[in-house]
Amino acid sequence: INAEYGNGTICTMSRRNCPRLGLVCTPLDDINLARAKQISVSDIVYYSMSDAPSREAMQHERARAEEMGLSLSVVEGGPRMDQIVAGGPQREEQLAKFAQSVLDMGECGIKVLCYNFMHWGCRVGRTSYDVPVRGGALSSRFSVQEWDDTPVTDRVPSREAMWENLAVFLRAIVPVAETAGVMLAMHPDDPPLSELRGIQRVMNTVGDYERLLATHPSPHNGICFDVSLFGLMREPHQPSVPGLIRHFGDAIKFVHFRDVVGNKFEHVEVFHDEQGLSDHVHVMRALKDIGFSGVIRPDHVPLLAGEEGHQVGDKAQGYYSGKASGYTMHGRLFAIGYLRGLM
């Protein structure tokens, strides 16, 4: 055990194979930064699903994190890319802005960009944000039976057109990421279904991720490994979640740690310590086995007693959401302690 009391350096693995605990702070203020440091977090994740921060904002938030002894290491969400995903008329303009944002990240020393390729007509899907779980805490649910699958638009690309749009994106942005020293980490479709509301989705199977990596091979074209979503998307004949971690290995650049009960058509998000689809001890062991030394962050957490929750449409920044958005702070404090114990 490496534990230097007083400066917060704690890791039960060798330093070489030590994942780093990251946190999204909502709001990203001095109190939550102090809490992050106090509970043994080392890295801060800047989260916004509406747009990327400016270079000045990155510099400001990095300096603020460093004052607390933390590192601003990940931007999650990234630059606006609705036209890129859909192949719209402003695609080239958005690609140019995306490239500049990646260069800005490199200049600011922020080395991971987590993004997704869900069409902006229908991104994250939930059917409830007030499902009672342990002790009356509230969480979210997706249920195909409850889902309104009315098409949102009649102008959507086909599945292969979506793949071509992704290929265009990778050809334009991966070389920029290589120059900037930034790792791109693709987040899965949530839920991992191939179509919602008439819109094709292309990141919802293990095969999709293999195709992503083969489309533009590069150490900088990588994966955000969401434990719950890979658990939902894997087929019975495919490796377990720990097996998939070993399968993808160095392609994993960033980890979302959460879990669910159910299947990809019907599932509820649960507390981090509850038995979901994966054995978390083996998940952490697999990350150690591949030498993962990047950032793990607790993803969606239940809304605990005494917390107000978010208003509809006000998650952290970006997605439509509801009361138990998964982005409240008290549950994250518990989740960090659980992850620290696993480590």
Side-chain angles (χ1 to χ4, degrees), residues 22-24 45 47 76 254-257 295-299 327:
L23 193 66
V24 172
V45 177
Y47 179 97
E76 186 167 341
F254 182 43
V255 175
H256 280 186
F257 215 110
V295 174
I296 299 174
R297 81 162 178 89
D299 203 2
Y327 279 79

Side-chain angles (χ1 to χ4, degrees), residues 65-83:
E66 289 176 347
E67 287 177 3
M68 296 288 186
L70 300 160
S71 298
L72 180 60
S73 303
V74 181
V75 168
E76 186 167 341
R80 188 176 180 93
M81 56 188 305
D82 56 311
Q83 296 292 300

Side-chain angles (χ1 to χ4, degrees), residues 23 33 42 59 63 72 104 107 110 122 136 153 157 177 179 196 204 309 318 323:
L23 193 66
L33 287 172
S42 59
Q59 291 169 335
L72 180 60
D104 291 344
E107 289 185 13
I110 304 170
C122 181
T153 175
T179 298
L196 283 179
N204 46 75
K323 185 174 183 179

Side-chain angles (χ1 to χ4, degrees), residues 183-218:
M183 300 297 180
L184 302 176
M186 172 75 87
H187 188 282
D189 299 332
D190 186 3
L193 297 176
S194 60
E195 182 177 331
L196 283 179
R197 292 182 175 167
I199 296 173
Q200 299 296 310
R201 295 152 75 86
V202 296
M203 281 291 121
N204 46 75
T205 70
V206 173
D208 289 339
Y209 271 87
E210 293 170 336
R211 183 173 176 178
L212 165 73
L213 299 178
T215 297
H216 198 110
S218 168

Side-chain angles (χ1 to χ4, degrees), residues 77-118:
R80 188 176 180 93
M81 56 188 305
D82 56 311
Q83 296 292 300
I84 296 171
V85 173
Q90 283 81 49
R91 175 167 64 184
E92 293 304 315
E93 178 183 346
Q94 286 193 349
L95 284 170
K97 290 181 178 179
F98 202 108
Q100 185 59 56
S101 186
V102 170
L103 292 172
D104 291 344
M105 286 179 61
E107 289 185 13
C108 293
I110 304 170
K111 297 303 184 182
V112 176
L113 173 57
C114 177
Y115 71 108
N116 66 71
F117 216 72
M118 289 179 278

Side-chain angles (χ1 to χ4, degrees), residues 166-182:
L166 177 54
V168 168
F169 168 79
L170 294 173
R171 286 195 296 268
I173 301 302
V174 171
V176 179
E178 292 170 342
T179 298
V182 171

